[in-house]
Amino acid sequence: MSPSREIEQSIVHLREEINHHNHQYYVLDEPKIPDAEYDRLMRELQALESQAPELITPDSPTQRVGSEPLAGFDEVAHTVPMLSLDNAFSDEEVMAFDKRACERLEVGAVAYCAEPKLDGLAVSLRYEHGFLVCAATRGDGRVGEEITQNIRTIASVPLRLMGGDFPDVLEVRGEVYIPKAGFAALNRHQLKKGEKLFVNPRNAAAGSLRQLDPKITATRPLEICCYGVGAVDEGALPESQYEILARLKEWGLRTSPEAQQVNGAAGCLEYYRQIGERRDALPYEIDGVVFKIDKIKQQQMMGAVSRAPRWAIAYKFPAQEEMTKIIEIDIQVGRTGALTPVARLAPVFVGGVTVTNATLHNEDEIRRKDVRSGDTVIVRRAGDVIPEVVSVVLAQRPDGAAPFVMPTTCPVCGSEVRRVEGEAVSRCSGGLYCPAQRKEAIKHFASRRAMDIEGLGDKLVEQLVDAGWVKSVADLYNRTVLPHEKLAGMARMGDKSAKNLISAIEKSKQTTLARFLFALGIREVGEATAEALANHFGQLDKIISADEAALLQVADVGPVVVANLQSFFHEPHNREVISALQHHGVHWPDIDAMAERPQPLMGKTFVLTGTMETMTRDEAKRALQALGAKVTGSVSKKTSYVVAGADPGTKREKAEKLGVELLDETALKLLLVEAGQASAPTALS
Ligand code: IVH
């Protein structure tokens, strides 16, 4: 065989192989080879084609993105018009549609093909002798725009049909769309580049297909779902819509796996209900379902009016996006103190309910969307998700609408509002003092692992706060504010439970510094951090007055915890509550502060790996930290020791490679004992 003949054969073979894997991946969703292998095949084909450019054909998988940008789109006349669909919005309308069909066809019951109604853009793909020769938008239904170069970039559109029994001319009708995940990724990408965000997947799909430069279209995560045929020449098609879909699939076209044959109006309504339940879980947006009389003969008997066929109907879901006006922007203070801007809306029916509020998330989101009080906006409510403002209709902005400004003080308690650098959320620093946060803060304060006040349940806390009797956790200990009679008189309380509660409150006064710190509910100061802080500093005053460098000395305390601690103690209200608690008798034993103990392992860094026999890794970590050592997760040149138990894995190998000293369990214990003797003989609390 001549070399050129050999190349030709390899090219043909590679194209077949690539097309096969393309189909597996994009149409069947069942990839058979890893992406890297697919890329390798593509590169091989590209290399061969560049050796023999005369062998490049338009249907080669290397030619999806080939052409130069267009100057404009040509017009395409649809030989078979691309019709629209009549809509139904209620069960009754679907029943009436079915009744009309039965009457016209003079049958007792009609079978339908039920399909999801994808929310994208209708296109027509013309295949001649199996090759994709032209693709067009719907346009006005009679004349559309030629978008062949853009459609070719969509990997799930076959450039050549599979099999051989297809008609000479086959126009396939379908919907081009962007799946939900692809849409999110696309907008993340836009945001990163500082470019405009797309409002919804449908607009993004439309914008992507209308690009004059197919290279841009190629970067967009477009997909296709085929749902019908237009012109068909020289070749028979099956006799029902459902079978036609199956045939399209055999020819390598992507169709909906959700299509089903159903019977009568009852079958249609059941399908609508089932798909409706799964709507949010589907990977793409749908705005309803479509019922098509299944038998093609019956479709022909029904005929069409100028705009839409009489043999099909779309049963729409309640719209998930509607337009309305923002009356004002309010600030809500959540239980963690997070300030959430909320749009108060002129009532609007969207996603099946009347919506009057929509979240605006945070300051950055408002700025990005430039939402202002008085604006007309698009509101979205999908499934059970909280309604949100999607975008502003700028053309309808009233004169003088002022940009939104985040308040600098909490609208509930007046405390300073702070926003930690790198975080999107602004928070009220009022902590225990802020009524909005108070209930949750008190529940946490009284909880078992905090101050452990038995009998002070959630319901009771809510009653106490609602009645205005408990304004801060300190009030719980104040018998003038909260005397026995008041407690006994509350709903579901009585003399005995009030007595029990008071004695539980009394008992809680004797606590530990770690519990008390944890009970304060400082953000990100959980039990372990509270304990580390208590052990390190020994006294509350020292924690309050510690500077950043001193706080960072504590095991597991990083810059975020430092910022939270400082913000909490900086707030005068919080310091007042702490003093009041101490004034009412809350106390704890002093701890021998670790910071003041000799720290023989100070400056040494340990990495623990593998399983030890006599202690857990966590115990070893604490013991090392108690002696001043730092324990980290990864081995580097700076690591002093790697402690390797059984099955140590790669960390041991890395230590050996870097020449870091290895310790086994016995050596570690020896080291702990020796270092412990050098340390003050105080037990850890
Ligand atoms: S059939 C003659 N089936 O909905 C029948 N349309 O509102 C014409 N659509 O223009 C369309 N999914 O863009 C059909 N499974 C489906 C569909 C579907 C989405 C779109 C299509 C059409 C519009 C009509």
Side-chain angles (χ1 to χ4, degrees):
M1 199 164 26
S2 70
S4 63
R5 183 90 184 94
E6 212 171 290
I7 290 185
E8 189 175 351
Q9 280 213 340
S10 305
I11 285 180
V12 169
H13 180 74
L14 269 169
R15 282 180 191 159
E16 272 171 15
E17 204 177 339
I18 291 170
N19 281 337
H20 167 73
H21 289 302
N22 230 11
H23 180 250
Q24 289 290 336
Y25 187 96
Y26 292 107
V27 180
L28 304 181
D29 231 353
E30 287 168 11
K32 288 274 184 297
I33 53 169
D35 290 1
E37 175 63 9
Y38 178 87
D39 293 344
R40 197 189 60 73
L41 294 173
M42 269 302 250
R43 278 197 305 274
E44 201 179 323
L45 176 60
Q46 271 160 353
L48 290 177
E49 285 183 344
S50 68
Q51 276 177 45
E54 69 282 2
L55 296 178
I56 298 177
T57 54
D59 66 315
S60 169
T62 60
Q63 302 302 301
R64 283 199 179 265
V65 196
S67 76
E68 290 304 307
L70 303 171
F73 296 111
D74 288 339
E75 287 192 341
V76 181
H78 301 298
T79 37
V80 173
M82 290 181 75
L83 297 183
S84 184
L85 290 168
D86 280 337
N87 291 324
F89 293 97
S90 66
D91 289 4
E92 289 70 31
E93 286 174 285
V94 174
M95 290 191 275
F97 163 76
D98 176 59
K99 190 158 169 263
R100 282 196 301 277
C102 289
E103 283 167 4
R104 213 171 231 271
L105 298 170
E106 297 177 347
V107 291
V110 177
Y112 295 94
C113 180
E115 304 165 17
K117 186 173 185 298
L118 277 88
D119 200 9
L121 247 82
V123 295
S124 181
L125 315 177
R126 187 177 170 93
Y127 287 90
E128 289 180 8
H129 306 286
F131 290 94
L132 175 67
V133 293
C134 179
T137 62
R138 176 169 179 272
D140 64 3
R142 321 261 145 198
V143 178
E145 285 176 328
E146 208 237 81
I147 49 160
T148 318
Q149 294 309 329
N150 287 343
I151 286 291
R152 285 171 60 89
T153 68
I154 304 174
S156 48
V157 173
L159 300 179
R160 195 177 174 179
L161 296 180
M162 291 168 61
D165 59 342
F166 38 73
D168 288 354
V169 173
L170 175 70
E171 271 179 21
V172 181
R173 303 278 159 88
E175 198 83 350
V176 169
Y177 64 96
I178 292 184
K180 291 173 188 169
F183 175 72
L186 179 60
N187 263 351
R188 275 200 301 276
H189 185 69
Q190 294 287 105
L191 196 62
K192 229 196 231 156
K193 285 194 305 182
E195 286 182 15
K196 234 183 113 208
L197 297 194
F198 294 102
V199 174
N200 57 39
R202 197 193 125 77
N203 285 13
S208 304
L209 278 189
R210 275 212 204 89
Q211 289 291 333
L212 288 169
D213 184 354
K215 289 196 180 63
I216 298 181
T217 311
T219 65
R220 303 286 169 80
L222 294 164
E223 283 188 13
I224 195 166
C225 177
C226 303
Y227 50 66
V229 293
V232 179
D233 240 8
E234 293 299 319
L237 282 179
E239 288 173 1
S240 78
Q241 163 69 11
Y242 189 76
E243 289 166 317
I244 290 177
L245 292 180
R247 191 62 59 86
L248 292 179
K249 190 170 173 198
E250 281 169 26
W251 289 330
L253 294 150
R254 222 164 149 268
T255 55
S256 174
E258 311 293 338
Q260 261 179 40
Q261 280 170 307
V262 299
N263 283 316
C268 290
L269 297 179
E270 175 60 17
Y271 181 84
Y272 173 84
R273 203 187 52 72
Q274 282 182 11
I275 293 281
E277 272 176 11
R278 294 178 36 226
R279 182 182 188 186
D280 292 332
L282 290 175
Y284 41 76
E285 300 271 1
I286 59 173
D287 58 350
V289 294
V290 185
F291 306 125
K292 300 172 182 171
I293 293 181
D294 198 31
K295 287 206 177 76
I296 304 298
K297 274 224 176 72
Q298 289 185 332
Q299 288 187 0
Q300 286 158 352
M301 285 164 73
M302 293 294 292
V305 289
S306 67
R307 203 188 69 86
R310 284 207 207 87
W311 46 264
I313 196 159
Y315 189 3
K316 300 284 282 277
F317 292 131
Q320 290 183 318
E321 286 184 7
E322 285 294 348
M323 228 157 74
T324 188
K325 234 186 158 118
I326 297 188
I327 300 163
E328 63 176 342
I329 298 176
D330 258 5
I331 300 290
Q332 250 173 23
V333 185
R335 63 190 177 90
T336 59
L339 266 58
T340 308
V342 176
R344 306 284 175 219
L345 305 167
V348 60
F349 191 73
V350 55
V353 297
T354 301
V355 165
T356 50
N357 301 312
T359 179
L360 292 163
H361 300 291
N362 56 51
E363 196 178 1
D364 291 350
E365 279 286 297
I366 298 193
R367 198 159 302 147
R368 189 170 66 68
K369 293 175 183 162
D370 188 19
V371 183
R372 304 182 185 190
S373 184
D375 268 342
T376 296
V377 289
I378 294 170
V379 172
R380 180 176 174 81
R381 181 188 180 271
D384 293 330
V385 181
I386 302 168
E388 61 168 350
V389 169
V390 178
S391 60
V392 175
V393 184
L394 279 178
Q396 295 191 29
R397 170 165 289 167
D399 289 340
F404 170 81
V405 188
M406 198 72 172
T408 50
T409 55
C410 172
V412 179
C413 74
S415 299
E416 197 184 322
V417 167
R418 296 213 194 91
R419 186 174 160 184
V420 176
E421 223 180 278
E423 271 189 31
V425 190
S426 305
R427 288 180 201 277
C428 160
S429 57
L432 301 180
Y433 172 79
C434 178
Q437 298 170 64
R438 202 179 300 153
K439 285 182 188 171
E440 295 310 315
I442 296 172
K443 287 177 197 170
H444 170 76
F445 183 85
S447 65
R448 204 173 51 79
R449 305 181 76 92
M451 299 298 280
D452 193 18
I453 306 179
E454 220 184 302
L456 187 56
D458 290 2
K459 285 266 160 358
L460 195 53
V461 170
E462 275 160 32
Q463 284 184 58
L464 289 170
V465 176
D466 288 341
W469 291 340
V470 173
K471 295 206 167 56
S472 85
V473 289
D475 291 339
L476 295 171
Y477 295 91
N478 187 338
R479 290 284 79 79
T480 326
V481 169
L482 211 57
H484 172 269
E485 310 81 73
K486 255 190 189 170
L487 285 171
M490 295 183 73
R492 285 188 299 275
M493 288 290 281
D495 186 54
K496 183 137 187 268
S497 25
K499 261 199 193 122
N500 288 344
L501 180 59
I502 288 175
S503 78
I505 292 174
E506 284 301 312
K507 200 171 135 211
S508 76
K509 285 181 180 173
Q510 158 86 45
T511 184
T512 65
L513 177 55
R515 272 180 179 268
F516 183 76
L517 263 179
F518 173 59
L520 292 177
I522 304 166
R523 282 177 50 72
E524 307 214 22
V525 177
E527 274 181 288
T529 308
E531 196 168 324
L533 284 163
N535 285 335
H536 188 90
F537 289 102
Q539 288 168 25
L540 182 62
D541 286 350
K542 290 194 179 140
I543 302 176
I544 296 177
S545 58
D547 62 10
E548 186 178 354
L551 288 168
L552 283 172
Q553 291 284 313
V554 183
D556 287 341
V557 168
V560 174
V561 172
V562 171
N564 291 338
L565 284 165
Q566 292 189 327
S567 156
F568 185 90
F569 292 124
H570 176 79
E571 184 53 58
H573 300 304
N574 291 337
R575 291 204 305 270
E576 277 162 28
V577 170
I578 291 171
S579 305
L581 285 166
Q582 289 181 302
H583 170 76
H584 287 302
V586 174
H587 67 282
W588 50 85
D590 272 352
I591 304 170
D592 182 11
M594 205 192 282
E596 282 152 23
R597 289 175 217 159
Q599 304 226 290
L601 296 183
M602 187 71 152
K604 298 266 185 271
T605 307
F606 286 72
V607 173
L608 306 174
T609 177
T611 322
M612 284 180 273
E613 270 173 31
T614 57
M615 60 179 131
T616 65
R617 278 220 293 272
D618 216 42
E619 283 163 352
K621 182 175 170 181
R622 279 164 181 260
L624 285 165
Q625 284 172 340
L627 295 165
K630 205 167 148 190
V631 181
T632 69
S634 60
V635 184
S636 76
K637 272 192 292 201
K638 290 196 190 128
T639 311
S640 322
Y641 300 98
V642 169
V643 181
D647 302 324
T650 55
K651 285 180 190 165
R652 184 197 169 113
E653 286 162 28
K654 193 153 179 207
E656 279 168 351
K657 220 195 252 157
L658 294 174
V660 175
E661 189 169 337
L662 279 162
L663 300 178
D664 61 11
E665 190 170 342
T666 320
L668 170 70
K669 279 161 93 180
L670 205 63
L671 184 141
L672 284 172
V673 171
E674 278 169 7
Q677 280 163 357
S679 159
T682 30
L684 280 176
S685 63

